[in-house]
Structures are given as structure tokens and as C-alpha cells.
Amino acid sequence: MIDKGIFDKDCRACPRLSTFLDDVQSRYPDYYCRPVPPFGARKARFLIVGLAPGMHGANRSGRPFTGDHAGILLYQMLHKYGFASCDHSESVDDGLTLRDCRITNAVKCLPPDNKPVGAEINTCNVYLANELDALPKNSVVLALGGIAHRAIIKALGERQVDYKFGHAALHDLGQFRVLDSYHCSRYNTNTRRLTEAMFDEVFATVREMLDKSQRE
Ligand code: URA
């Protein structure tokens, strides 16, 4: 794998995504419309991996899960469990800070219909691989949804059959653990595939694991 670092704000490696971003930029000149960088300190022990920027959220604001429905429950939980200074995330200059937490996406550019194709997930995977490689000891990675989960397993060079996605499933990857959750999308929360109680339990588990490893 070519070492491209953890992020390239000028990346145009996926022709379909670059063309789409150019098109969206012409329709929404005020939107960010570039690869969205990870948010939070590099040394954080809690890494959250989402799918890809949302059209009117991260793609508008330039920060993961910021400004759209998917971020509402996420930042509420981050605040409740002490990972965020505030319970909502509106814009890059809202003063919100993360504590011991970092948020990124499996695919850094907005995909049409929120659906990156396999080749795009694979092309972007090098950034995730480098991000995972640099995680501190005893980190916890939260995979939001099956695509993020599989991107993580791929980035680690592991076999998908050995690590199946399931809500609240915990996978020991040696250097860190991966916890799965259904994605906090509008669709999943509206249909109650993911309830607040279910997401709360996921965050309680993360908090407990990180606190325990700090005491050991
Ligand atoms: N916004 C993001 O940054 N990622 C998602 O997966 C959804 C919305």
C-alpha cells in the first residue's frame, strides 16, 4: 500500500466522487465540498468511524457529523459520556471540543445518494489504515454501521468472515477492540432500528472499557 498519510484535503482519487463534489459545489457555493478531515486529537483512545459525509451535514460544514440529523444523537451521547464539551455540533467554529475522542469516516468525500461504491471504499481505505495504525494502546474503535465495520476489517488486513458485523458486537483485534453499532442515521433512528437506549448502551460500554484500561 502506498503511504498517503491519514488525510489529504486535495485528494481526487475517486473520479465519480470528485465530479460529484464539483457539481454540488456549483449548486451550493457556500458548502465545504471537499474531503472532510477527521475531527479530534490524533492521540485520542476512542476513534469513531462513520460512513461518509452527509450532503447537508459534514459536506456543508467540513466536520464529521456536524449540521445534520445523524449528528444529533451522536453528539448527545459524546457529551453525556464526557467525550465532547457540548451536546450538539453545528459548525466548525462553534467551539466544540472532543476529549480523548476522534471522529472520521470510512469514505472522506460525499457520495451520491449516501452510497459509496466498493472501489471508492477501497481507494479511501489507505487513510483509515494509517489512522488505525497510529492508534494508542488500549484504544476502542466504534464502527457505525456495516460499511464502516468492513472498512476497518479491510484496513487491518483481516478476513471479513472472522469478524462479522452485529449491533453491540465487540471484536478483539489485538492492538485494540472494535465495537459495532447500527449507524445513527435518520432512517435507523426513525425506524427505531437504533433507539436512544441502544446507542446509550454502546457509549456506556466504550466509557467502561476506556476507564478500566486506564486503571490497569
Ligand atoms: N456524517 C458523517 O460525517 N458521517 C456519516 O456517516 C454520516 C453523517
Side-chain angles (χ1 to χ4, degrees):
M1 211 182 260
I2 301 164
D3 185 3
K4 291 179 146 191
I6 54 152
F7 179 71
D8 176 4
K9 67 177 178 29
D10 300 315
C11 184
R12 292 183 66 89
C14 301
R16 187 183 78 119
L17 299 187
S18 306
T19 307
F20 185 57
L21 280 183
D22 292 343
D23 173 48
V24 174
Q25 180 88 83
S26 67
R27 283 187 281 140
Y28 299 97
D30 297 341
Y31 279 24
Y32 181 77
C33 292
R34 288 199 303 278
V36 174
F39 174 41
R42 279 301 300 273
K43 61 177 184 355
R45 293 178 307 149
F46 179 25
L47 178 70
I48 299 175
V49 182
L51 168 57
M55 169 74 108
H56 304 294
N59 178 64
R60 174 167 59 89
S61 63
R63 193 166 77 186
F65 291 94
T66 295
D68 64 4
H69 191 274
I72 296 175
L73 194 54
L74 178 63
Y75 282 98
Q76 276 172 14
M77 289 302 157
L78 286 171
H79 183 248
K80 177 171 177 183
Y81 284 94
F83 295 111
S85 62
C86 176
D87 68 359
H88 57 279
S89 176
E90 277 158 16
S91 64
V92 284
D93 54 9
D94 59 8
L96 170 78
T97 54
L98 297 179
R99 293 186 207 106
D100 205 12
C101 175
R102 184 168 163 92
I103 310 176
T104 193
N105 281 305
V107 173
K108 306 292 188 276
C109 294
L110 168 73
D113 302 321
N114 291 327
K115 285 195 189 81
V117 299
E120 292 157 356
I121 298 167
N122 293 345
T123 299
C124 210
N125 204 244
V126 63
Y127 300 118
L128 186 60
N130 289 335
E131 180 98 53
L132 295 171
D133 199 40
L135 277 176
K137 230 176 111 217
N138 295 325
S139 292
V140 176
V141 179
L142 176 61
L144 293 179
I147 294 179
H149 167 92
R150 287 185 288 279
I152 292 164
I153 300 304
K154 181 180 171 55
L156 295 171
E158 298 288 346
R159 283 155 30 113
Q160 301 290 347
V161 286
D162 294 334
Y163 301 95
K164 290 284 188 197
F165 174 81
H167 179 77
L170 184 62
H171 310 274
D172 190 347
L173 271 306
Q175 65 274 47
F176 51 77
R177 281 166 290 183
V178 175
L179 179 61
D180 293 337
S181 170
Y182 291 137
H183 192 285
C184 47
S185 64
R186 185 194 293 271
Y187 180 82
N188 282 348
T189 52
N190 280 353
T191 57
R192 300 188 62 76
R193 183 178 177 84
L194 179 71
T195 63
E196 188 173 330
M198 287 162 73
F199 212 37
D200 195 304
E201 231 171 273
V202 164
F203 277 80
T205 303
V206 173
R207 183 81 267 172
E208 200 182 308
M209 286 193 289
L210 290 174
D211 289 352
K212 187 161 179 275
S213 66
Q214 200 149 40
R215 286 195 301 269
E216 281 168 356

